[in-house]
Amino acid sequence: MTHSATGRPGPSFRWWAVVSAVIAPVAMIGGWQLAAARQPPGYSAIRDTISALAGHGAHDRWVMTLGLVVVGCCHLVTAAGLPVARPAGRILLAVGGAATVAVAALPQPVSGSAPGHTLAAGTAFLALTFWSLAAYPAGAPVGVLRLPILLPATVALVGLLVVFYLELHGGHRIGLTERLLAGAQSVWPVVILASVFLAGKGKPARPAVARV
């Protein structure tokens, strides 16, 4: 539970942060599923990246582009609505969200790779891997925001990130490993928000009611 400037306990999260956290994995997973279904038979979800679905050579590339923009914006909203987390973690989540939007704004060319896209994707993956560990509360732990949970969760995300990096250099399951990593990163904020809610340490912010 956080504290306001008046010293009174403040909300651990905002209700709209729950909405944004839930929408993010729906947009990510639903986006790549719908976009992949619109590709010609040669596309492989195991072999080909998510970025290829939003690249210049993709059919109906707007589907995955929109999905990435929605995911990025959701992370920005979630970061703003989770006051129980340390500012460092919220900043990293926001950076991950902004970088995800940049991934959509800097699509891959028909052939080869765009340096700006690669930089944005790398920034997003790194920020979304470490944000929750940096979000460890300054006060009492809330929900899964406690080191015995955050540490192994971060290690698992690092493991997925390493496997994806290795696949990028000659692997044949790039698409699969990227989906595992991106899917886990999009679902993790939902788990955190749900745990904070169930912990009962704080309530969503409610509009102030003026007293006569």
Side-chain angles (χ1 to χ4, degrees):
M1 183 178 295
T2 60
H3 289 79
S4 65
T6 62
R8 295 178 179 178
S12 297
F13 64 97
R14 313 288 179 173
W15 67 265
W16 36 265
V18 178
V19 176
S20 62
V22 170
I23 291 176
V26 174
M28 175 64 79
I29 299 172
W32 81 49
Q33 288 288 95
L34 180 58
R38 292 172 175 262
Q39 303 310 305
Y43 180 83
S44 170
I46 302 296
R47 181 189 65 247
D48 299 320
T49 64
I50 298 171
S51 294
L53 295 170
H56 285 298
H59 289 192
D60 295 325
R61 56 179 293 267
W62 65 268
V63 175
M64 195 66 241
T65 299
L66 178 61
L68 289 171
V69 170
V70 171
V71 171
C73 291
C74 284
H75 287 330
L76 288 168
V77 173
T78 302
L82 193 59
V84 70
R86 282 181 183 268
R90 298 170 68 185
I91 290 172
L92 276 180
L93 180 57
V95 168
T100 302
V101 174
V103 168
L106 301 168
Q108 291 281 51
V110 176
S111 61
S113 179
H117 178 93
T118 302
L119 177 61
T123 300
F125 282 133
L126 283 172
L128 295 176
T129 293
F130 293 102
W131 81 269
S132 63
L133 185 60
Y136 180 69
V142 181
V144 299
L145 289 175
R146 56 188 72 240
L147 288 181
I149 298 176
L150 293 177
L151 281 174
T154 302
V155 169
L157 290 174
V158 169
L160 289 173
L161 182 62
V162 170
V163 171
F164 173 57
Y165 177 80
L166 294 176
E167 283 292 322
L168 282 174
H169 295 77
H172 301 287
R173 296 177 296 275
I174 300 173
L176 174 61
T177 55
E178 184 183 28
R179 282 164 172 77
L180 290 174
L181 175 60
Q185 290 181 337
S186 65
V187 170
W188 186 222
V190 181
V191 176
I192 290 176
L193 264 296
S195 72
V196 171
F197 174 78
L198 294 175
K201 297 294 184 179
K203 297 182 180 179
R206 297 179 181 275
V209 179
R211 294 185 177 180
V212 179

